[in-house]
Amino acid sequence: MSEQNLEQLVQNFYAAWNAMDAERTLAFFAEDGRYEDRSMGWDMDREQVRALVESMAATQASGSRIFRIEPVSVAVKDNLVLTERLDHFESATGHLAVPVASAIEFEDGKIRHMREYWDRATSKLPPPLGLPQPDATARANKAVVDRVFDEVWTGNIDLIDEICGEDFVYHGAGAYAEIRGTDHTKTALAGARAAFPDLKIVVDQVIAAVQFVFLFALGAGLLVLYSALIATAAERRSEAAVMRAFGA
């Protein structure tokens, strides 16, 4: 496919996204195509892309937030298209234009892999993470994480089998640097509860965003930021990580 044709494909792809047409947007992706937002840590397949566009369309239809892509420049090398663009967010709080760099790999005229990069530190996107979220999914994901602290940490350790996937991985520190599987997780949690029987975790803030749930909690004098990745289909938590702790 010629460079001119690839450039036009990308322009058409952005036009479909601006129209909030999930089917048209999805048609540009190969069956095994993937969309990555490297700044957010997202890695989505076709159906997840569909859910994202439909969520954005619903938010836009409600009038609470308008999203628009403005292509700035395009460069083509072989089957790779590099784009520079501005993503515009308009809401009652004002207008924000976020510079985004994108690398789009094509195969047989379809997007095989799309990677995006933007500066989270300077973009100052509105909460929770600057993109409209699917309300029902966000509430369901938050409910899963709530049960971890409301039920598991208060003694119902067997609940882990219900709310965690078989390939669950916990990343922490020290002796809990990495725990794989529900059985090992239950053993570790039982040991932690035995060592600190009076430990209470107070949840301060929960932010649900598509597949991720970010949670701030206070426990043993430390403010801890947790991140949980929620499996989309079964809504089971597949990975958790203690990302940062601050002395309280």
Side-chain angles (χ1 to χ4, degrees), residues 55-110:
S55 169
M56 296 173 73
T59 301
Q60 187 150 301
S62 71
S64 59
R65 185 176 298 164
I66 306 299
F67 172 78
R68 177 173 58 87
I69 295 172
E70 178 190 353
V72 176
S73 60
V74 179
V76 181
K77 179 176 175 56
D78 299 327
N79 289 326
L80 178 65
V81 181
L82 303 175
T83 73
E84 177 189 9
R85 69 174 201 255
L86 291 174
D87 284 6
H88 296 272
F89 297 86
E90 297 181 19
S91 66
T93 60
H95 170 263
L96 181 66
V98 180
V100 179
S102 184
I104 309 174
E105 296 178 19
F106 282 88
E107 184 177 283
D108 298 327
K110 298 287 187 179

